[in-house]
């Protein structure tokens, strides 16, 4: 089966540990296009964190932020946009206990602490400074994403279990990293996201490949015709993928393009 579209996650996947696109990755995406295979991205990042990557990747079509909550284009067009229902956002925030909290709304990042754990990393990922606020109440009728942040993996996973049990049928609750717990709208999940991106390019889901590294990537790995896990992915993610490539600090996406995706076209 030849692949007609590759959809890639960003952090832990397309970019290295310093949040950079490498020359090898950009060149591999160019070779993919030259072979007639489409390419796009979907990420838990806000739009502000995706925009700087669009020019080097030559992405003018649909891309997805907030796990598919916003589908947009480099020219500023918003193709689709869903937010967390206000009552769910309030309920989720009420469950936070001893963790830093971020809320993303209006393409702005709001934080309970401007110097908390992973705040510096998020500055790079979102390409903006946080607005530190004492209360998120006036944002909850239009929140794109709520993120809880903690380096206590056991405590954060326990919070995931509680939030998922309470709201998992009405919102998307997933860990985008071991230290991030994200809540987005129910339709803002990478499974629905990859379906929307494939439809926009008139590609059947069976002819798509998806590549990612974390639990929030599992919905798109499950729906793609070909699923690829990064070498740095947890074993639970690797177990759900058809193939595994190198780690993101070893140009894993470029390696997957060269050794897994492009060779499939040679056999057609």
């Amino acid at each position: 089966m030849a692949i007609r579209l590759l959809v890639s996650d960003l952090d832990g996947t397309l970019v290295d540990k310093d949040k950079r696109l490498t020359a090898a990755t950009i060149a591999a995406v160019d070779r993919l296009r030259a072979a007639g295979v489409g390419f796009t991205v979907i990420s838990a990042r806000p739009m502000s964190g995706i925009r700087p990557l669009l020019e080097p990747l030559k992405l003018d079509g649909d891309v997805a932020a907030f796990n598919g909550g916003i589908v947009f284009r480099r020219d500023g067009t918003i193709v689709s946009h869903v937010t967390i229902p206000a009552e769910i956002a309030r309920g989720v925030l009420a469950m936070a206990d001893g963790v830093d909290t971020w809320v993303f709304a209006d393409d702005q990042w709001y934080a309970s602490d401007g110097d908390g754990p992973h705040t510096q990393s998020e500055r790079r990922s979102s390409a903006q400074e946080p607005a530190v606020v004492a209360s998120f109440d006036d944002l909850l009728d239009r929140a794109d994403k709520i993120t809880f942040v903690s380096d206590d993996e056991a405590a954060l996973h326990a919070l995931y279990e509680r939030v998922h049990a309470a709201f998992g049928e009405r919102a998307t609750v997933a860990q985008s990293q071991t230290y991030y717990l994200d809540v987005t709208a129910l339709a803002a999940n990478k499974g629905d996201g990859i379906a929307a991106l494939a439809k926009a390019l008139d590609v059947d889901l069976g002819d798509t490949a998806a590549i990612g590294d974390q639990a929030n990537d599992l919905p798109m790995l499950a729906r793609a015709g070909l699923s690829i896990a990064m070498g740095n992915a947890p074993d639970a993610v690797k177990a759900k993928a058809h193939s595994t490539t190198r780690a993101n600090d070893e140009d894993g996406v470029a390696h997957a393009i060269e050794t897994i995706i492009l060779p499939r076209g040679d056999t057609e």
Side-chain angles (χ1 to χ4, degrees):
M1 176 192 72
I3 295 300
R4 295 182 55 210
L5 172 67
L6 172 61
V7 180
S8 178
D9 170 50
L10 290 182
D11 296 295
T13 302
L14 193 67
V15 297
D16 66 15
K17 66 180 180 181
D18 296 318
K19 311 293 186 181
R20 297 177 303 189
L21 281 171
T22 67
T25 295
I26 294 171
V29 171
D30 285 342
R31 286 192 290 274
L32 189 74
R33 285 205 189 89
V37 181
F39 179 81
T40 191
V41 298
I42 184 169
S43 175
R45 289 186 184 192
M47 291 189 294
S48 62
I50 298 176
R51 287 191 192 102
L53 306 179
L54 300 183
E55 182 174 353
L57 290 170
K58 303 181 180 69
L59 286 174
D60 291 315
D62 291 7
V63 297
F66 298 126
N67 297 331
I70 297 180
V71 176
F72 71 104
R73 297 175 187 149
R74 181 154 53 132
D75 66 5
T77 300
I78 302 295
V79 178
S80 62
H81 186 190
V82 293
T83 58
I84 308 167
E87 68 275 12
I88 295 175
R90 292 189 188 95
V92 166
L93 276 183
M95 302 184 76
D97 182 20
V99 296
D100 276 3
T101 302
W102 301 340
V103 173
F104 296 82
D106 305 327
D107 207 25
Q108 174 67 55
W109 165 32
Y110 298 88
S112 58
D113 183 349
D115 296 303
H118 304 285
T119 304
Q120 189 57 36
S121 176
E122 184 62 21
R123 283 184 170 93
R124 294 194 299 271
S125 294
S126 65
Q128 63 173 282
E129 286 290 317
V132 179
V133 294
S135 171
F136 300 107
D137 288 350
D138 63 346
L139 303 171
L140 300 185
D141 62 345
R142 58 189 188 281
D144 291 297
K145 183 174 72 167
I146 297 170
T147 299
F148 298 124
V149 188
S150 175
D151 282 324
D152 187 334
E153 292 185 20
L156 196 65
H157 187 71
L159 179 58
Y160 161 80
E161 295 286 356
R162 295 196 301 274
V163 174
H164 189 269
F167 298 104
E169 293 184 356
R170 293 184 288 159
T172 297
V173 183
Q175 290 193 245
S176 57
Q177 300 291 340
T178 57
Y179 41 82
Y180 289 158
L181 172 57
D182 294 337
V183 180
T184 52
L186 186 63
N189 68 84
K190 290 190 179 181
D192 288 347
I194 192 174
L197 293 171
K199 183 178 180 180
L201 291 172
D202 195 27
V203 175
D204 188 275
L205 271 174
D207 297 329
T208 65
I211 186 165
D213 73 306
Q214 288 294 332
N216 68 323
D217 295 312
L218 290 173
M220 73 171 179
L221 296 181
R223 296 190 70 176
L226 173 66
S227 55
I228 305 170
M230 297 297 293
N232 50 290
D235 289 343
V237 174
K238 292 177 181 176
K240 297 292 187 180
H242 296 119
S243 300
T244 299
T245 185
R246 295 174 181 167
N248 64 317
D249 271 349
E250 300 172 308
D251 291 317
V253 171
H255 182 72
I257 288 171
E258 300 293 349
T259 67
I260 300 173
I261 297 173
L262 290 181
R264 287 174 169 258
D266 295 339
T267 63
E268 295 298 301

